[in-house]
Amino acid sequence: MDSKFQVSLEKAALQHHLSREEIILLLRAQPGKEQNELFAMADRIRERYQGDEVHLRGIIEFSSYCRNDCHYCGLRCSNNNINRYRFSVEQLVNASCQAVELGYNTIVLQSGEDPWYDADSLSRLITEIKKKKNVAITLGIGERSKEEYRQLHQAGADRFLLKHETTDAELFNKLRPGTSSDKRMQCLRWLREIGYQVGSGNMVGLPGQTLESLADDILFLKELDVEMAGIGPFIPHSQTPLADVPNGDLQLTLNTLAVARLLLPYCHLPATTATGTLHPEGRQMALNCGANVIMPNVTPYDYRQLYQIYPNKAGSTDDPKQSLKKIVSIINQVGRKVSEGRGDTPKPSFQIKSQNSVFLNDKHSN
Ligand code: 5AD
Ligand code: SF4
């Protein structure tokens, strides 16, 4: 094995810090000795900092309406070939109660960017759910104003998932017409300032994405000091402009996850559904190279096939009970156990660490 590779790997494990060049070296890990060592090291760091428990986050996809037109996503607003649905507040409370009854300690409320739900109705919903049980509530509803983010946090939302998707601003702006990388970064800063536990993350295998930009993704996640980072492969959807682009590479996705674990030892890293969609054992592989979270689908059966961000999503033909059973069996297969807690990550209040930060300097005063 290349001695530079070995040196970088050991440095990552000891210092949890690498230069962009060193990250790229690890991202290039080849199947065989290099990857085995990288994955074993990431697994060791996961065990040391996170233990053997795997946190479950029950995800409810409550609206497939989206005002955005992302080139990679089947829910893009110009896709007229899908049946869209939107839960009433009552349906959403019922689905959340089912998740609570199944034992979930975190509920993730996920949707396209759908302004139909205003901050008042979402706040009422959060209050209703919290009355039943003190579950952690994560929102994944896209970009909103700072005031709305604040209102939802005050209503009881604990966490917010907003993937940065890619740190390559040009690529971001091209693939997400009408939105901008700058605005995304601003939303992430707002979420931090307000006091959410913040989740972000990126796709692997977007057309035009380079190893340099993947390294920047990891450096960005580190700089933002995220509590969770979702790293998953791009999977083409036939009704999008990226229909003919190949899948993100499984090995590169796992390398990215493993390097993220080395550099972000305290961060929750899910074995993503996209990784499980790309390969039947994808989530087991992810759990063995750094992941410590799985997000089972709790969307009622009748709706989950309609939430097609990408095709053949793992678990899309199961109901909430079956999904849970399958995920528990995946966790047991790799010799780990399901966490019984909420899996919070207490953090000191956010500080921008470097005034010369590439990503987080506030170009927009608010
Ligand atoms: N393949 C993989 N992941 C995708 N997402 C959207 N479209 C795709 C795709 N084609 C991810 C994005 C988004 C999340 C909801 O789903 O990262 O943030
Ligand atoms: Fe909408 Fe999100 Fe899909 Fe973009 S990725 S079209 S914002 S659901």
Side-chain angles (χ1 to χ4, degrees):
M1 190 174 5
D2 179 15
S3 71
K4 274 195 196 157
F5 182 93
Q6 192 68 45
V7 169
S8 300
L9 185 58
E10 279 164 20
K11 180 178 166 192
L14 284 172
Q15 302 177 13
H16 310 301
H17 188 81
L18 289 180
S19 69
R20 192 183 195 224
E21 289 65 38
E22 290 165 328
I23 294 175
I24 293 168
L25 197 71
L26 296 188
L27 289 177
R28 286 190 206 279
Q30 294 300 308
K33 198 161 174 3
E34 283 187 349
Q35 241 185 8
N36 293 346
E37 296 243 340
L38 172 65
F39 292 176
M41 193 68 94
D43 198 43
R44 230 171 288 152
I45 298 297
R46 185 273 309 155
E47 191 183 9
R48 185 179 313 154
Y49 287 82
Q50 305 283 348
D52 278 342
E53 293 194 336
V54 176
H55 301 286
L56 299 186
R57 320 292 201 202
I59 182 160
I60 302 171
E61 298 158 334
F62 66 91
S63 167
S64 64
Y65 284 87
C66 186
R67 64 179 170 185
N68 289 333
D69 211 20
C70 304
H71 286 197
Y72 45 79
C73 175
L75 300 186
R76 62 200 305 265
C77 60
S78 60
N79 185 2
N80 297 319
N81 291 319
I82 54 168
N83 291 323
R84 302 208 185 238
Y85 69 91
R86 178 186 279 139
F87 286 6
S88 65
V89 171
E90 195 190 351
Q91 273 177 307
L92 196 37
V93 172
N94 288 341
S96 306
C97 288
Q98 194 185 3
V100 169
E101 277 155 27
L102 284 171
Y104 288 101
N105 294 311
T106 294
I107 299 176
V108 182
L109 304 177
Q110 169 116 3
S111 67
E113 252 181 48
D114 183 1
W116 187 86
Y117 297 90
D118 59 19
D120 287 342
S121 50
L122 285 170
S123 298
R124 276 198 301 279
L125 169 81
I126 293 165
T127 314
E128 279 297 307
I129 300 172
K130 289 268 176 172
K131 264 196 245 162
K132 314 259 175 218
K133 187 180 168 191
N134 184 26
V135 285
I137 295 184
T138 304
L139 297 176
I141 57 171
E143 296 180 18
R144 296 269 173 152
S145 70
K146 188 174 184 182
E147 290 64 40
E148 285 176 289
Y149 284 153
R150 199 189 300 284
Q151 183 183 339
L152 295 166
H153 187 250
Q154 280 167 354
D158 305 270
R159 308 179 185 145
F160 205 103
L161 272 184
L162 188 71
K163 292 203 189 178
H164 71 278
E165 313 292 7
T166 170
T167 37
D168 179 337
E170 208 178 306
L171 187 60
F172 183 103
N173 298 346
K174 190 169 109 190
L175 294 180
R176 300 180 50 99
T179 76
S180 80
S181 174
D182 282 353
K183 178 71 196 302
R184 196 74 161 185
M185 301 288 166
Q186 185 182 51
C187 286
L188 284 164
R189 275 194 306 274
W190 284 341
L191 293 166
R192 261 278 169 255
E193 282 165 28
I194 291 166
Y196 283 98
Q197 294 170 39
V198 177
S200 196
N202 60 279
M203 280 177 278
V204 176
L206 291 170
Q209 195 180 34
T210 59
L211 283 185
E212 284 73 15
S213 94
L214 276 178
D216 286 343
D217 287 323
I218 297 174
L219 288 169
F220 170 74
L221 294 166
K222 189 163 171 59
E223 188 172 337
L224 188 61
D225 200 15
V226 287
E227 277 83 14
M228 177 154 128
I231 294 169
F234 160 73
I235 298 173
H237 188 296
S238 63
Q239 290 151 10
T240 67
L242 302 189
D244 296 329
V245 172
N247 284 329
D249 182 72
L250 177 65
Q251 300 310 324
L252 182 57
T253 304
L254 296 173
N255 287 357
T256 311
L257 173 66
V259 180
R261 169 52 71 213
L262 295 175
L263 299 193
L264 294 144
Y266 288 107
C267 182
H268 290 302
L269 294 176
T272 58
T273 307
T275 309
T277 303
L278 201 56
H279 189 286
E281 305 271 306
R283 280 177 290 195
Q284 289 88 327
M285 294 175 191
L287 286 173
N288 284 327
C289 69
N292 71 318
V293 169
I294 299 196
M295 301 170 76
N297 200 330
V298 203
T299 312
Y301 177 79
D302 289 347
Y303 297 97
R304 58 173 71 187
Q305 267 127 325
L306 301 177
Y307 202 85
Q308 285 234 6
I309 291 174
Y310 50 81
N312 305 317
K313 218 163 75 192
S316 57
T317 54
D318 298 329
D319 68 21
K321 261 193 191 158
Q322 289 166 323
S323 289
L324 179 58
K325 211 171 147 202
K326 281 191 186 166
I327 300 290
V328 172
S329 107
I330 287 176
I331 294 169
N332 292 336
Q333 259 176 48
V334 295
R336 307 262 281 280
K337 51 180 183 265
V338 174
S339 161
E340 288 179 4
R342 286 190 0 160
D344 286 304
T345 319
K347 276 276 170 73
S349 63
F350 176 65
Q351 295 166 349
I352 294 179
K353 288 176 188 148
S354 159
Q355 287 310 309
N356 297 320
S357 157
V358 188
F359 306 111
L360 290 172
N361 274 347
D362 195 349
K363 288 185 227 147
H364 322 260
S365 52
N366 46 295

